[in-house]
């Protein structure tokens, strides 16, 4: 299949619509409001425990059996939580970003086909979020001291961090919506690399003030012990719109509402806008591509540069190539959203299709969207081919010179392979390459064959099987 569509990822995104579209203003507003609830409740939950500073000290002896020598109890808990969540495909969702993306296993569940609403980007502000949480948020919402509730504290910490991360990175969707509303204005600022201009254009002070007022009311409401025979706030409608400074002194509050308002004003809103600016600066560039190293003289690197590296005139907004130590690393980069596309070595010299490539094809549900050949490597070491993998269902349209790859599993019995090949002939499909392979574990097959067919995967001859 051709490569051109992969080089222009904006073509993967649907046109803007109105109503219930995820990028509509109403949909975005509803999502942000729900995220406010999650963050406020999570902060109130954490506030019931003391600061418990030992939980955040790298290599603390109290947690030597759990955390590594250079990590804190919180980091260990957060990493293990993300590992479990990664296995159930949390970080394949475009609105989720891991704190430890390079340390996560691939999903154990089949991938979902999310709509490609966003331009591929490398925005991840979780390192900043973690620093802000440790040094600004925790001191503001907890009392000093140690109550020995260390496990409960870090469990609550993880909930807060994940909630704030999701809210901040939802700024990518906000930025995409704003870009689609004013494409000409944003395009001019992006091409001029004008960060300050982009920040001015996306800032809406009136909306930010409404968010702060709503957060204040929610924090005051959620922070009370509500009795069934009392009004929700114990205040008149007019009084319910007041700030925390006007709250009656007798009102029992689990957490000062103004602490949460300051958190939004000083950190969450600015970090969200930082994510928006970072996304928009990459909005016109090419996609990020992971490749199997080494950087120098490797066929995957040469092909990545040839097909995906932008020309010097557009390098400021272009892609960043991600070197991976193995083909598995390429798959992990794509699965964890660090890269939109991956390039892995398929065939080299007279070895045929590499066993590692076939194993990955069978184990992980990524799409093969293009084949790349390396003429320089062909001259030096025989036939060399790479394939481009992507977790989106992003097959380019038929070109008339397409091929389809499949891994066929069979029971090891006389005539089974012949019967399978006869079915291709019956449907008028030309088999251009076949190689025996080990059957994938747990597939129920006893033997497998890697097969290349002439034609596009959506051709009638192939879809009729």
């Amino acid at each position: 299949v051709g490569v051109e569509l992969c080089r222009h990822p904006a073509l993967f995104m649907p046109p803007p619509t109105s109503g219930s579209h995820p990028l509509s203003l109403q949909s975005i507003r509803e999502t942000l409001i729900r995220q406010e609830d999650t963050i406020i409740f999570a902060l109130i939950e954490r506030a019931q425990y003391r600061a418990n500073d030992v939980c955040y000290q790298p290599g603390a002896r109290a947690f030597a059996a759990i955390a590594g020598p250079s990590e804190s109890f919180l980091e260990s808990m957060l990493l293990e939580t993300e590992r479990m969540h990664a296995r159930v495909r949390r970080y394949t969702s475009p609105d989720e970003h891991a704190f430890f993306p390079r340390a996560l296993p691939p999903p154990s569940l089949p991938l979902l086909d999310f709509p490609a609403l966003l331009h591929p980007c490398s925005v991840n502000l979780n390192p900043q979020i973690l620093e802000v949480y440790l040094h600004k948020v925790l001191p503001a919402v907890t009392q000093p001291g140690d109550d020995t509730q260390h496990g409960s504290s870090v469990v609550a910490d993880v909930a807060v961090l994940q909630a704030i991360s999701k809210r901040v990175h939802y700024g990518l969707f906000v930025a995409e919506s704003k870009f689609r509303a004013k494409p000409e204005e944003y395009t001019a600022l992006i091409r001029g690399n004008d960060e300050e201009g982009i920040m001015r254009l996306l800032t809406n002070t009136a909306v930010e003030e409404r968010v702060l007022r709503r957060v204040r009311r929610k924090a005051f409401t959620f922070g009370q012990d509500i009795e069934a025979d009392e009004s929700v706030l114990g205040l008149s409608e007019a009084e319910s719109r007041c700030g925390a400074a006007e709250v009656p002194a007798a009102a029992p509050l689990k957490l000062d509402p103004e602490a949460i308002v300051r958190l939004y004003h000083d950190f969450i809103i600015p970090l969200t806008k930082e994510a928006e600016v970072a996304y928009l600066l990459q909005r016109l560039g090419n996609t990020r591509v992971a490749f199997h190293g080494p950087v120098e003289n490797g066929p995957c690197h040469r092909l990545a540069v040839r097909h995906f590296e932008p020309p010097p005139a557009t390098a400021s907004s272009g892609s960043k190539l991600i070197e991976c130590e193995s083909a598995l690393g390429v798959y992990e980069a794509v699965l964890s959203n660090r890269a939109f596309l991956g390039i892995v070595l398929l065939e080299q010299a007279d070895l045929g299709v590499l066993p590692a490539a076939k194993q990955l094809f069978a184990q992980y549900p990524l799409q093969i969207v293009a084949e790349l050949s390396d003429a320089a490597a062909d001259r030096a070491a025989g036939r060399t081919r790479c394939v481009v993998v992507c977790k989106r269902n992003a097959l380019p349209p038929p070109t008339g010179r397409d091929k389809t790859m499949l891994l066929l599993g069979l029971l090891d019995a006389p005539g089974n392979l012949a019967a399978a090949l006869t079915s291709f002939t019956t449907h008028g499909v030309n088999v251009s390459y076949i190689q025996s392979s080990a059957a994938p574990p747990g597939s129920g097959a006893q033997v497998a064959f890697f097969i290349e067919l002439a034609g596009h995967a959506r051709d009638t001859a192939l879809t009729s099987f």
Side-chain angles (χ1 to χ4, degrees), residues 139-162:
V141 302
T142 61
Q143 296 296 321
D146 192 313
D147 57 11
T148 73
Q149 300 298 313
H150 302 149
S152 297
S153 296
V154 296
V155 168
D157 290 328
V158 169
V160 176
L161 285 166
Q162 291 180 330

Side-chain angles (χ1 to χ4, degrees), residues 225-249:
D225 288 321
I226 307 299
E227 299 296 336
D229 57 350
E230 294 180 3
S231 63
V232 174
L233 297 181
L235 301 174
S236 68
E237 179 63 23
E239 290 172 324
S240 70
R241 290 193 290 268
C242 71
E246 302 169 53
V247 173

Side-chain angles (χ1 to χ4, degrees), residues 380-398:
R383 187 184 191 194
T384 299
R385 293 189 295 163
C386 297
V387 290
V388 179
V389 296
C390 176
K391 73 175 185 177
R392 308 295 186 204
N393 186 15
L395 290 179

Side-chain angles (χ1 to χ4, degrees), residues 49-70:
Y49 307 112
R50 295 285 182 168
N52 295 326
D53 294 337
V54 69
C55 297
Y56 315 104
Q57 297 171 2
R61 294 180 60 185
F63 311 111
I66 298 176
S70 60

Side-chain angles (χ1 to χ4, degrees), residues 18 64 67-68 85 90 102 124 131 228 246 253 256 266-267 269 301 316 329 350 365 377 381 393 421 428 464:
S18 59
H85 290 181
R90 175 171 186 166
R102 296 179 180 273
N124 189 326
E131 285 298 306
E246 302 169 53
L253 298 175
D256 180 6
D266 296 342
F267 305 118
I269 291 177
H301 176 252
S316 62
D350 298 326
N393 186 15
L421 295 177
S464 62

